[in-house]
Amino acid sequence: MLNKKKLLALACMGICMELPAYAEEGPFSANPFSANVSLTSNYLYRGISQTGGKPALQGGFDYAHSSGFYVGAWGSSISWIGDQQVQVNGVNQPLATNAGLELDTYLGFKNSFATDFNYDVGFLRYNYPGTYVSPMPAGLAKADTNEVYGLIGWKWVSLKYSYSLGNTFTVPGARGTNYVDLSANYPVEDTGITLGAHYGKQTFKGATSDALAAAGTNPTYSDYRLSVSKDLGSGFSTSLTYSKTNASAFYTVNGKELGKGTGVLALNRAF
C-alpha cells in the first residue's frame, strides 16, 4: 500500500475524511483560532482506507487571519504503513513500526472575490513518524510527502489541484504526481443538511510508478463519493458517506481491498 490524506469543517462534513478544515471553511470568524475533533468508522483519504477499514480518531488546530492567511495542523490514527509488509534480508517485516499516526502541517491563503467565487492556495506536508526498515527496499521511500495546491470555487462547487514535490506516499521519485478534486456540497435551506458529491483522480508520475503500472499494479486511480451531513448544533455534526474507487491491486494489503466501495459514518465536533 502506497497512498495517502484529511477532513473536517462543519460546513462541508459531507467531504468526510478528505481534507483538513482549512480548505473548506466559510468566512473567517471573529476568533482566528479554531479546533476540531472527529470519530470516524473508517478513515478514507482520496477513497483509500488509511486504517484497514477500522475506526480512527482525528483532530486539528487552525489559525486564520482576517487577511486570508491560515496555518494549522491535523492528525489521525492510521495503520497502512505498519500493515504494509516488505522483505528485508529475506524476512517479511512491516514497512515501519510505531507508525500509527499521520500528522499534517499546512499554511496557505484563501479569500473570496466577485461575490460568489473563492480561491485557496497553499502548501501541505504529510508527516508519518515511525521507525522504518533499514535498508529501505528498492522502489520504496518513507511516506512523508509535500504538496502544493490551488482551489477555485463558485458557491457550492469547487475544483482543486494538488501537486507533489517529490517522493509521494512511499513512491520514490514521484515529483509531478497530482490529484484533481471536483466536489459539490449543496446546503439544503433551513434543514442543516448538506448533500455532497465528489470525483477525484490520483495520477502518479515517475519511473517507479511507470514500472508498477507495467507490472499490472498501477497506483493511478479514480475515486467517487456521495454524502449527506447534518449540523446537530452546538458545534456537533454527523455525516454518512459512500465511497468507491477503481484502484488496482496496488491498494490491496493483507488481503484487504483498501479502495473498495464502502460506507463511512462520522461524528465531528468543532470548537
Side-chain angles (χ1 to χ4, degrees), residues 12 125 139 153 157 177 217 256:
C12 295
R125 177 171 173 82
V157 180
T177 291
T217 54
K256 295 181 179 179

Side-chain angles (χ1 to χ4, degrees), residues 1-2 49-54 77-86 92-100 251-256 258:
M1 154 67 187
L2 312 166
S49 177
Q50 309 300 291
T51 52
K54 297 179 180 179
S77 55
I78 62 167
S79 67
W80 69 275
I81 301 174
D83 291 341
Q84 172 70 17
Q85 295 290 306
V86 297
N92 283 335
Q93 299 181 34
L95 178 59
T97 55
N98 304 314
Y251 299 96
T252 296
V253 175
N254 295 336
K256 295 181 179 179
L258 302 184

Side-chain angles (χ1 to χ4, degrees), residues 33-59:
F33 296 97
S34 63
N36 58 77
V37 63
S38 179
L39 178 63
T40 176
S41 63
N42 186 1
Y43 172 24
L44 298 183
Y45 181 68
R46 297 176 180 173
I48 304 296
S49 177
Q50 309 300 291
T51 52
K54 297 179 180 179
L57 180 63
Q58 306 171 322

